Amino acid sequence: MYFGENIKIYGFDNESHFNSYLNYLFRSDNAQKWTNVHTSENECYTMGNPDDTGIFQFDFKTRRLIKNNFYGQWNHDVDHLFFARVDCPNDDIFEWNKEMHQEMHIILHDMQKRHYYPILIIIHKDQPNEYCHFHMLLDYIDPNS
């Protein structure tokens, strides 16, 4: 296994916190300390039909546009939105492989079983000296409501 099983899920404090998180995920502020020449290699997955997941890589202008659209669409739902970061605990693995992508999908399906539905998944590949990780934006749908 590449990823740990102890995944912590966090809620947003408010709309501003959500906006800042999206800026971090999409690297939509070119002054961010994490933005670098590798940022356009980050992979973005949008979830619709779980069997038909798109994988996208974007330039800065497109990342900013998508981030703003995401914020506009979801900013009134922060009370049931959550986020998580999933790290690879092996500090000698810096490049993603096919098996890691498959394991990521298993984690996403496990989240759905717990009623957390992934809206957005971003693999940050622009930190070449940091071990592999990905981020999830999750929508919690209470099965009792």
Side-chain angles (χ1 to χ4, degrees), residues 111-113 115-120 137-141:
M111 289 289 173
Q112 290 174 341
K113 289 179 190 173
H115 308 289
Y116 290 96
Y117 294 89
I119 301 168
L120 175 69
L137 178 62
L138 305 160
D139 186 10
Y140 180 79
I141 300 176

Side-chain angles (χ1 to χ4, degrees), residues 18-132:
F18 177 56
N19 187 48
S20 295
Y21 181 75
L22 290 176
N23 268 329
Y24 167 71
L25 281 187
F26 284 106
R27 311 284 204 238
S28 54
D29 177 355
N30 61 359
Q32 274 187 50
K33 67 179 181 180
W34 301 284
T35 303
N36 59 46
V37 297
H38 302 290
T39 298
S40 63
E41 299 169 18
N42 289 342
E43 293 180 1
C44 174
Y45 295 74
T46 55
M47 299 297 288
N49 178 343
D51 298 323
D52 185 28
T53 301
I55 304 170
F56 308 97
Q57 294 176 314
F58 300 113
D59 62 18
F60 176 74
K61 183 178 177 182
T62 306
R63 287 195 315 272
R64 179 175 275 173
L65 179 65
I66 293 170
K67 178 264 171 187
N68 289 338
N69 287 338
F70 241 88
Y71 180 76
Q73 181 178 353
W74 290 94
N75 67 328
H76 299 293
D77 297 314
V78 294
D79 58 329
H80 58 86
L81 293 179
F82 295 85
F83 63 98
R85 175 179 163 141
V86 182
D87 291 307
C88 177
N90 301 325
D91 60 3
D92 60 342
I93 299 176
F94 300 105
E95 296 291 328
W96 277 73
N97 59 44
K98 180 180 178 181
E99 291 78 17
M100 293 172 87
H101 281 91
Q102 290 171 339
E103 191 174 322
M104 180 182 77
H105 282 278
I106 292 169
I107 292 169
L108 298 177
H109 288 295
D110 179 58
M111 289 289 173
Q112 290 174 341
K113 289 179 190 173
R114 296 167 50 201
H115 308 289
Y116 290 96
Y117 294 89
I119 301 168
L120 175 69
I121 300 92
I122 294 190
I123 296 174
H124 279 161
K125 293 184 168 188
D126 57 357
Q127 298 164 304
N129 296 324
E130 187 175 332
Y131 45 84
C132 297

